[in-house]
Amino acid sequence: MSLKSCLSRIVFSGLSLLSVGGLSLVCCRSVVAADPIQLDPMLQLAEQARVAAIDRARPSAVSVFVPGGGGGGSGVLISPDGYALTNFHVTSPAGSFMRCGLSDGRVYDAVLVGLDPVGDLAMIRLLGRDDFPFATFADSLRARPGDWCMVIGNPFLLATNLQPTVTWGILSGVGRYQYPSGTLLEYADCLQTDASINPGNSGGPIYNADGELLGIVGRCSFEKRGRVNVGVGYAISINQAKNFLGYLRSGRIVDHATLGATVATDPDGGAVVSNILESSDAYRRGLRYNAEILEIDGRPVTTANDVQNVLGTLPSGWRVDVMFRDRGKTTRVQIRLNSVHGQDELLAKMSSALPPPPPVPDEPEEDSEGDESPKEGGPGEPLQPDQPETPPHPDKSPHGPSPHGPSPHGPAAQAIPKVVADMFVERRGYANYFFNLRQQDRFIDSLRGQFPGGAADETAQWVITGKTAEGTELEVRVADDQYAMVIGETSLQASGRGELFEAVDSDSILGIVPALDAWRTMLERGPKQFGESYYQGTMPLGGQRPLRDCMVALYGGMEVRWLMHPDTGLLECIEVVADRDSDPAELWIRHQDGKIAGMELRYGIDTLVQFDVTNWERKESAE
Amino acid sequence: MNPFRRIQLLSHQCGNAMQTATFQLGCVLVTAGLLTQSVVAQSSTDQSSSKRPPGRSAAPGAHDIQQRVVKIYGAGGMQGLEPYQSGFLVSPEGHVATAWSYVLDVEPIVVLDDGRRFESKIIGIEPSLELAVLKIDASDLPYFEVAKQLDAQWGDPVLAVSNLFGIATGNEPASVMQGMIAGVTNLDARRGTFRTPYRGKVLILDLIANNPGAAGGAVADSQGRLVGMLGKELRDSGTGVWLNYALPIDALRVAIGDIIAGRATTAAKEENPLLKRDQSHNLTTLGLVLVPDVLESTPAYVDAVPPGRPAARADLRPDDLILLVEGQRVADQKMLTDLLRRIDRRDAVSITIQRESEILPIRLEP
């Protein structure tokens, strides 16, 4: 269908739809059509606004096709360099590579970037341009039932001519919680709409009446009326997606957060802790059985559903503000959130949640020599739009385990273009390790760009002196296998990383040393020589936004995290975790006038020492 | 003051103004988008106005309707029998109208849109309408006026609010959907193989409203006035298509009023009630012998025409197929006898038949 006729159809249906709210009249029954119908200018304005919103929104909608006829879905571009969001269940049959069409009529190769199997989100990157049209984000928390909305995408994979389908409706509900389908998927705090959502709309955008991105279409309630729209479609809120963007860009397979406590709705109101893990950070911060949780990450909660609705939208490893009331006392603390799954558990569940391999066309299967005649998806081939069902009756047979990876069985595995292959590195626990390596490079460049003691050197020793507010002098010396600090009259030393581990585990002031030495080592050697290291994504610092870039590395049995400001690129905090069940050492770094002005060592909510940096020397090694 | 209320109120005011203007301009539609736009424009000088941009909401009054719709939890839970449905408040003292169904086999729990839960009592049912009225122990609740006369017609925009699929768990308000009244007609539907007891007027909706759990939900017009109650899931008896429909509130009004007032319930007046056997027509009075009724749905083929009777006098012949009786489609012989039961035997009967390839109107004089 041509653009014009498509639009005129929309306008036509719009006329009838626009008349829903407020005081409206249908008086056309008695109108004698002598002259062409004159529209009220205000009606025309409203209609033009709708057409403009659709025009604004449509260029960012993506039609996803799995090469080889393995299905497809929809997606939405979120940055000019081609990053796009879609559903995990859309990309999973494709593996690492898919073809994406835009409404400009062009088809782009796309590579998988990151996966959030629990939240059913996937990030892909379209290749070949740096000026892609992209959607502007709305604030989905401000959406209300009754608001107009539209869904643009690829239902039933109709967009073989790359013109996406626009469906219009209202939000039927917001903040919906959809119980997990199978063992993995969980839709928390999602949007519900009566705009038609059909198989193939998965992963596509839902926009508000201004053409701003409200969410990512996820699943539908399908029942006995067949696999078509029954008036209920769900979308993952864009605010949840915003929380996960940094994690997804890391190329990892990411997990959602849990508090380490269960809550129940009290009959007299309020979300009350019904069970709590003593090893959780929540417990260490004073959350106890029977305490009433009032607020998480700035959002008030009054029921158990509310709590899950907020937690379900947060990535594991985040530290967020939590307010609770226990025996009449209200406390506000920052709590680190655990992962819902262990990593092995997540990967196992993910592979069992994958759909069976796409059907292979009837032609005899060719061997790997058949590379010169790649089978591409064409209009004549069977295409299977993918869409998971919401189970009012979860009677689906569970999908059997199927191989996952860049080369799934079937025709989709063939003929991955070189540009895509060059941007894909397979690694366990990652959707695409290539993007993690990129972020690691960015991290180390940024870290080296702000080194306080001059250029990096192989054998440097750091000598840092400072003074606390009380006037106590302090000196820290770190070099390879030499760890010492003097504070006032006290001298502390460690002969190896094992002792530093003990220091952090026992909340010692010596915890300052491994943080600084890890920093020094990272600067000198870079992430590739440091040992096991990876880019984690973005997270709040001290419960506060903007989200900070976070790099993680293993250091002598400890996990070290560097948190950097996203705009300045300055290192703000180094966390050293010795034992997951105890508080990490946190070294907070205070910047002033482009220099490191001071530091502070914290465990949990206790500050052990705070000092101004008076001198920062880098000496050649004592050798 | 609740901002939603405020918008609603303002939209009423400027709605009236718009109404006049509309008629003067001879215009087709007044839109919701327009109304909210003008509302916001009007209240932009007013500090209490909503900060949300204009034209955002299809239904500024959606929240008011949601407040009047309740979720009902009761019996069921087995495969295919959802233990929940919807209802709506019809009095400030907590009378709830809903669909009479298996969910009410136990005393149901009623959950208001703000999450408050109540045990309820079933105070009355009207089987012919499949209507039940529950009572919860509460007061000062927002409620729908069950108005006397509502002229709901095709083309009217409506909002349907219900707990379809049980989506709205906990303290969440029910789901809102928008669409139009696509038609007003008599219900001809079945549930499984059984015909529905109610055969009267229904509003056919162009939105996919009648899902599991939606029965008892409210259908309101653009001013938030109640126009109907969503019925249970039904298929059209002719085509097997799932229906999207609501019982118009004027069909329910008397029964709701009677149940609340404690009066004996009365069946809704049928337009063509069944007559006593000795007062209505039947095949014998017309002198019709049809082919043996051996199928679940045997076509109304004429097998024989005894001489001297109305059928013979009107020259009806064997192998004629009766298509219509008084303009109503005759699907099978059962339906034919049923239709004849509704016609006084002193009256003539107009039928339409197919003979070979001809369609003929026939009038049977008693």
Side-chain angles (χ1 to χ4, degrees), chain A residues 15 18-23 29 42-43 142 146-148 172 176 192 194 208 210 224-225 230 234 305 393, chain B residues 29-32 34-35 52 56 58 82 154 157 167 169 172-173 175-178 210-211 222-223 233:
Chain A
L15 285 181
L18 265 177
S19 57
V20 169
L23 239 175
R29 293 170 197 139
M42 291 177 80
L43 178 59
R142 294 184 68 199
D147 285 1
W148 292 118
S172 299
R176 295 301 199 203
Q192 178 198 344
D194 72 352
N208 63 18
D210 299 327
K224 51 197 160 206
R225 301 189 191 194
V230 290
Y234 302 99
N305 259 32
H393 312 295
Chain B
L29 295 165
V30 182
T31 76
L34 288 180
L35 284 174
R52 288 151 55 75
R56 267 274 166 99
E82 291 75 15
W154 66 270
I167 295 165
T169 53
E172 296 171 49
S175 302
V176 193
M177 306 172 85
Q178 54 86 27
N210 303 72
N211 277 300
S222 50
Q223 294 166 68
E233 285 187 287

Side-chain angles (χ1 to χ4, degrees), chain A residues 15-29 31 37-46 49 138 142-149 168-179 192 194 196 208-210 212 221-225 229-232 234 302-303 305-306 309 392-393 395, chain B residues 4 11-12 15-16 18-19 22-23 25-35 37-38 51-60 62 66 78-82 84 153-159 164-165 167-180 208 210-212 222-223 233 242-244:
Chain A
L15 285 181
S16 47
L17 283 172
L18 265 177
S19 57
V20 169
L23 239 175
S24 67
L25 289 169
V26 178
C27 46
C28 56
R29 293 170 197 139
V31 170
I37 292 174
Q38 293 293 310
L39 290 183
D40 184 305
M42 291 177 80
L43 178 59
Q44 287 185 31
L45 276 180
R142 294 184 68 199
R144 292 287 173 270
D147 285 1
W148 292 118
C149 63
W168 188 268
I170 62 172
L171 292 178
S172 299
V174 297
R176 295 301 199 203
Y177 178 76
Q178 280 294 294
Y179 289 94
Q192 178 198 344
D194 72 352
S196 279
N208 63 18
D210 299 327
E212 298 166 332
S221 289
F222 293 130
E223 234 190 67
K224 51 197 160 206
R225 301 189 191 194
N229 174 48
V230 290
V232 180
Y234 302 99
T302 56
T303 65
N305 259 32
D306 289 348
N309 253 351
H393 312 295
D395 52 357
Chain B
F4 286 105
S11 75
H12 275 266
N16 291 330
M18 287 297 298
Q19 194 171 344
T22 309
F23 277 116
L25 292 167
C27 193
V28 187
L29 295 165
V30 182
T31 76
L34 288 180
L35 284 174
Q37 261 170 8
S38 44
K51 286 199 186 104
R52 288 151 55 75
R56 267 274 166 99
S57 180
Q66 281 178 314
M78 281 162 299
Q79 188 74 14
L81 295 175
E82 291 75 15
Y84 53 83
Q153 290 195 58
W154 66 270
D156 286 356
V158 289
L159 291 173
L164 74 171
F165 293 115
I167 295 165
T169 53
N171 61 347
E172 296 171 49
S175 302
V176 193
M177 306 172 85
Q178 54 86 27
M180 268 189 286
I208 311 172
N210 303 72
N211 277 300
S222 50
Q223 294 166 68
E233 285 187 287
W242 291 101
L243 292 175
N244 293 301

Side-chain angles (χ1 to χ4, degrees), chain A residues 302-314:
Chain A
T302 56
T303 65
N305 259 32
D306 289 348
V307 171
Q308 193 49 33
N309 253 351
V310 179
L311 281 177
T313 62
L314 297 174

Side-chain angles (χ1 to χ4, degrees), chain A residues 450-488:
Chain A
Q450 53 178 299
F451 175 52
D457 191 287
E458 267 302 310
T459 52
Q461 181 194 34
W462 280 7
V463 181
I464 298 151
T465 50
K467 198 186 243 183
T468 65
E470 296 79 41
T472 314
E473 301 277 343
L474 179 139
E475 185 184 272
V476 183
R477 286 168 179 271
V478 288
D480 286 358
D481 297 322
Q482 292 177 21
Y483 318 104
M485 71 179 287
V486 180
I487 175 159

